[in-house]
Amino acid sequence: MFNSLSDRLTSTFKNLRTRGRLSEADIDATVREIRRALLDADVAVSVVREFTAAVRERALGSEVSGALNPAQQVVKIVNEELVEILGGQTRALTFAKVPPTVIMLAGLQGAGKTTLAGKLALALKEQGHTPLLVAADLQRPNAVNQLAVVAERAGVPVFAPHPGNTSAVDDAIVDGDPVAVARDGVATARARQHDVVIVDTAGRLGIDELLMRQAADIRAAVQPDEVLFVIDAMIGQDAVNTAKAFADGVDFTGVVLSKLDGDARGGAALSVAKVTGRPIMFASTGEKLTDFEVFHPDRMASRILD
Ligand code: GDP
């Protein structure tokens, strides 16, 4: 992911390196190249506009440091502005003062929610937590079983509304109502002293009102400490509109970029934090449960500019 963006930016900077002092025209030419590279990578137009304006202003300003030549100075500014659009600081999960901590997952079908549920559960388990997974995705017939499979791979129990195929599956009291399943799942976590509960919710292929209402109802019912919006980094420009729709419809506390191992342009995913004002918290980088990392804006910016 981001390979072509990375190549474009680094070659722009390479051209600068031979220069001594940068004139306003040099800076404008560089900013134009940066703008084109970002747009070609699918970064949202509004984000590109703000980004390039900030870079231009700072590059023209008096930020001349003795230690850096002009080209290095521009790279430093671009790096800092990239960190900024990616959300600035690394944002860790917020745990409830009184357990269980409730983490709700939301996003379109196929975004990678169920896989993420397993990844997060495994990572939390390895940190000494005792997560319970809750299968509140009743939209697709196979979704509950899929979560049960992921839970088994992660070695954590799952609360599900149907008699499952694995011994790890509980029968919920209520069949068919995702809000009730989510609520019962959290109650069960509390009763059995799980300190974290991860609620997987249904996605649709596109944004629809019913999906949003259901997710908002689940949110209201379980009062999550975190709502993680999972977005497939490969979906291009749609990422921004999808993210905005979920921000308005459900609201979320953090973003998870999934499928960052893909070779799509990915710039739209880079716009999501800036456009929604919510931090990117995790990155999913493959199909294995261990293909998962905490998202560090500064490391991602350095990787792009490397
Ligand atoms: P959900 O519908 O949102 O629950 O999405 P799933 O978790 O079922 O994932 C949809 C598909 O994407 C599955 O085939 C997953 O194996 C795959 N997938 C999920 N996360 C990643 C990832 O980070 N990288 C890759 N390459 N595939 C992923």
Side-chain angles (χ1 to χ4, degrees):
M1 189 67 71
F2 311 128
N3 286 346
S4 75
L5 174 62
S6 184
D7 290 349
R8 291 274 295 273
L9 291 176
T10 43
S11 78
T12 300
F13 298 138
K14 207 175 284 162
N15 294 338
L16 272 188
R17 232 182 275 151
T18 51
R19 304 299 186 83
R21 234 181 77 77
L22 297 180
S23 66
E24 185 165 345
D26 291 331
I27 288 171
D28 281 339
T30 304
V31 166
R32 261 198 307 277
E33 280 184 52
I34 294 172
R35 176 183 298 128
R36 253 183 253 125
L38 293 172
L39 289 173
D40 286 349
D42 270 349
V43 177
V45 175
S46 62
V47 175
V48 174
R49 199 175 297 134
E50 220 177 298
F51 183 89
T52 48
V55 169
R56 182 175 188 276
E57 191 181 327
R58 289 182 58 189
L60 285 174
S62 56
E63 289 185 41
V64 185
S65 135
L68 300 176
N69 66 36
Q72 289 169 329
Q73 191 69 44
V74 173
V75 175
K76 179 169 177 281
I77 291 168
V78 171
N79 184 302
E80 287 169 4
E81 292 298 326
L82 262 182
V83 173
E84 185 60 31
I85 63 167
L86 293 174
Q89 304 277 328
T90 303
R91 216 299 246 127
L93 281 175
T94 305
F95 289 93
K97 286 198 191 76
V98 181
T101 296
V102 180
I103 302 171
M104 173 179 161
L105 309 182
L108 294 182
Q109 186 178 314
K113 286 181 301 301
T114 304
T115 311
L116 175 79
K119 291 175 173 185
L120 198 53
L122 178 64
L124 289 167
K125 187 180 128 185
E126 284 174 349
Q127 288 166 24
H129 294 286
T130 54
L132 176 71
L133 290 175
V134 174
D137 177 357
L138 310 185
Q139 216 63 47
R140 279 183 307 129
N142 205 29
V144 172
N145 282 338
Q146 232 177 339
L147 189 70
V149 168
V150 161
E152 195 164 82
R153 276 163 62 201
V156 301
V158 59
F159 179 88
H162 299 294
N165 299 330
T166 89
S167 56
V169 178
D170 288 308
D171 295 349
I173 304 119
V174 184
D175 201 349
D177 176 2
V179 179
V181 170
R183 197 186 296 119
D184 288 351
V186 172
T188 300
R190 190 170 291 120
R192 297 191 190 164
Q193 300 188 345
H194 290 279
D195 70 340
V196 181
V197 46
I198 300 169
V199 182
D200 190 18
T201 67
R204 300 273 158 88
L205 287 174
I207 299 153
D208 76 40
E209 229 177 90
L210 205 68
L211 161 74
M212 286 301 172
R213 206 169 332 124
Q214 187 188 89
D217 287 349
I218 292 176
R219 183 183 180 139
V222 302
Q223 300 279 316
D225 300 283
E226 297 278 12
V227 181
L228 301 183
F229 168 64
V230 185
I231 182 92
D232 178 342
M234 311 238 276
I235 69 170
Q237 285 292 357
D238 274 352
V240 169
N241 292 333
T242 306
K244 275 191 201 155
F246 272 87
D248 292 344
V250 195
D251 203 4
F252 49 83
T253 57
V255 177
V256 180
L257 294 183
S258 75
K259 309 191 192 177
L260 271 193
D261 50 313
D263 57 6
R265 294 177 284 188
L270 294 186
S271 320
V272 163
K274 185 76 187 169
V275 167
T276 64
R278 302 286 181 275
I280 303 169
M281 293 173 65
F282 301 101
S284 237
T285 55
E287 297 197 61
K288 293 204 300 287
L289 293 191
T290 46
D291 295 331
F292 172 69
E293 49 194 69
V294 172
F295 187 87
H296 298 289
D298 53 345
R299 286 188 213 166
M300 180 54 84
S302 302
R303 214 189 288 173
I304 291 171
L305 295 179
D306 209 10

